Amino acid sequence: MSTRVYYVPSINIMGKGCLGDIGPYIQELKLRKALVVTDKFLMKCGIAAKVLTILDGAGIPYAIYDDVKPNPTCKNVHDGVDFLIANDCDFLISIGGGSPQDTAKAIGIIATNGGHITQYEGAHKSANKSLPIVAINTTSGTSSEVTVNYVITDEDRKVKMVMVDKNSLATISVNDPELMVDKPADLTAATGMDALTHAIEALVTPGAYPVTDATALAAVEIIFNYLPRTVKNGHDIEAREQMVYAIFLGGLAFNNAGLGYVHAMAHQLGGVYDLPHGVCNAMLLPYVEEENAKYVPEKFRNIAKAIGCEVAGKSDKECADFVVEAIKALSKEVGIPSKLSELGVNEVDLDLLAENAMKDACAPGNPFIPTKEEVITLFKKIL
């Protein structure tokens, strides 16, 4: 039996109102001063302020770096490193979805390893553990707060660099659904479909094993049951809390099993067109899984069962077809666009997108490795 290594943050705080309990956990780290990494929107709308109030009450000093972009860039990272040094900070508190979380991870890695962030593209390139990170999540989807993955856009190459690095893992993750209630429906839908993509890709990848299967299947079931409710009513706190559990479970699954070509292709759309990652994943997911089902149809039986299919008497192919159609229906229900052309994607770029997807760090985790022409064909299905 091959050895399995399961990565998870040391402390994971979750549930309605849990933000109010984080002070003592941060104090236990016995660190000097935090660099708070967030974005302008979260500062303006008051979500970051909720965290800062907790820090003030606990007497935790901090400086604020709020220049993170939706698809964070190399410049974002190195500006953040300069700000960290200038303000003599020795740990990070990230507030936000995947963008601030990923930026904080990158800053933490550069702070302890040096060099340029482009040097760390790929798997486990750093030698030293990141600065400690307290990762406070505000969206129901990316799971970056609990994973060893982070993504930074190289603005010169227009490529999203995927880093898989155990040294980037947060020390503490925080998932309070009360931080998510005011998020708009389109963002809720996109991040929720991102979480579904994490879970399904983790289930079909060759890297899956019983522990990751269990958490991923639980995530799939919760997302199908509760994502439509959170999109319809963002203040449905029961649904929001269930989605918190789903993103945590799905995050642990793909963190330890891997991802595949949905993410490999979505990263390129984000790098070239600066499109929302969750939307790209949602659009690609049913079509990539339709192809994956030709190679590992047996993997879809349990997924179908988790989302309400009566699998007894059905073939593996019938179960896979059910899953593909269910994903399409869920995407439509929560308002995901159906065509990339609506988002400004041009057919002339498909060759470049496909070529870069094949180099993506997530690509080897797919159940089969498509040719460049097959990747282009997949893009064309949603063009």
Side-chain angles (χ1 to χ4, degrees):
M1 182 180 290
S2 60
T3 300
R4 303 291 190 178
V5 180
Y6 197 80
Y7 295 111
V8 62
S10 300
I11 300 172
N12 300 278
I13 306 168
M14 68 191 81
K16 178 185 174 184
C18 72
L19 181 67
D21 298 327
I22 67 173
Y25 291 97
I26 298 176
Q27 290 169 334
E28 285 177 4
L29 298 177
K30 298 188 182 332
L31 296 165
R32 188 176 62 255
K33 184 178 181 182
L35 178 67
V36 172
V37 179
T38 189
D39 59 40
K40 301 288 188 193
F41 172 77
L42 290 171
M43 290 294 294
K44 184 178 180 180
C45 74
I47 291 178
K50 294 179 181 180
V51 178
L52 301 180
T53 298
I54 300 295
L55 300 181
D56 291 337
I60 298 166
Y62 58 86
I64 301 171
Y65 175 66
D66 62 358
D67 284 334
V68 176
K69 293 183 177 181
N71 285 307
T73 63
C74 295
K75 185 178 188 304
N76 272 166
V77 172
H78 288 278
D79 285 350
V81 172
D82 292 343
F83 198 82
L84 177 135
I85 294 168
N87 286 276
D88 194 28
C89 299
D90 61 343
F91 74 112
L92 298 124
I93 298 176
S94 48
I95 306 171
S99 301
Q101 306 299 342
D102 286 3
T103 304
K105 289 179 180 180
I107 291 170
I109 288 293
I110 296 298
T112 56
N113 289 273
H116 195 273
I117 193 61
T118 53
Q119 296 171 230
Y120 300 96
E121 184 177 8
H124 306 295
K125 294 288 184 69
S126 70
N128 303 314
K129 183 78 178 76
S130 161
L131 291 180
I133 301 173
V134 179
I136 301 172
N137 180 36
T138 65
T139 61
S140 301
T142 70
S143 301
S144 183
E145 73 281 358
V146 298
T147 71
V148 297
N149 302 45
Y150 62 102
V151 180
I152 302 296
T153 297
D154 182 339
E155 56 268 59
D156 292 333
R157 292 185 293 153
K158 292 189 176 181
V159 169
K160 276 197 168 188
M161 302 181 296
V162 180
M163 288 75 158
V164 182
D165 191 344
K166 64 184 184 296
N167 286 328
S168 73
L169 191 65
T171 306
I172 300 174
S173 79
V174 181
N175 269 296
D176 186 338
E178 291 186 343
L179 293 175
M180 306 170 189
V181 293
D182 291 319
K183 292 299 175 70
D186 58 347
L187 179 62
T188 299
T191 54
M193 292 302 295
D194 189 18
L196 180 65
T197 304
H198 293 153
I200 290 179
E201 288 208 290
L203 284 160
V204 303
T205 178
Y209 58 105
V211 176
T212 61
D213 282 348
T215 55
L217 283 169
V220 169
E221 183 175 3
I222 293 170
I223 291 166
F224 267 88
N225 285 333
Y226 289 97
L227 178 58
R229 280 176 55 176
T230 60
V231 172
K232 184 177 180 180
N233 177 12
H235 288 261
D236 183 339
I237 197 64
E238 180 193 7
R240 286 286 189 189
E241 188 164 32
Q242 289 295 321
M243 285 299 297
V244 157
Y245 299 143
I247 62 174
F248 182 78
L249 291 164
L252 295 187
F254 90 83
N255 194 36
N256 295 284
L259 293 168
Y261 252 88
V262 180
H263 272 77
M265 294 170 69
H267 287 151
Q268 312 322 313
L269 292 167
V272 173
Y273 294 100
D274 203 27
L275 295 175
H277 175 64
V279 171
C280 297
N281 273 338
M283 296 173 75
L284 287 161
L285 181 60
Y287 298 97
V288 175
E289 297 316 321
E290 189 173 38
E291 292 303 307
N292 284 339
K294 296 174 183 178
Y295 295 84
V296 287
E298 70 283 357
K299 295 261 191 173
F300 289 83
R301 179 169 290 274
N302 285 335
I303 302 174
K305 186 176 181 180
I307 58 179
C309 178
E310 180 52 65
V311 300
K314 287 187 170 60
S315 67
D316 290 342
K317 183 182 184 306
E318 287 173 319
C319 290
D321 290 344
F322 178 91
V323 171
V324 168
E325 292 308 313
I327 294 168
K328 290 179 181 178
L330 180 61
S331 286
K332 184 177 181 180
E333 182 178 2
V334 300
I336 298 294
S338 60
K339 294 295 181 183
L340 288 173
S341 54
E342 299 172 30
L343 306 177
V345 176
N346 298 314
E347 186 169 358
V348 293
D349 293 325
L350 295 188
D351 188 84
L352 174 65
L353 293 170
E355 189 172 320
N356 287 338
M358 297 182 75
K359 302 173 187 175
D360 191 272
C362 295
N366 210 61
F368 80 103
I369 304 303
T371 65
K372 183 176 174 180
E373 290 69 27
E374 287 173 324
V375 178
I376 291 172
T377 298
L378 281 168
F379 274 126
K380 283 183 176 179
K381 285 187 176 182
I382 54 170
L383 188 60

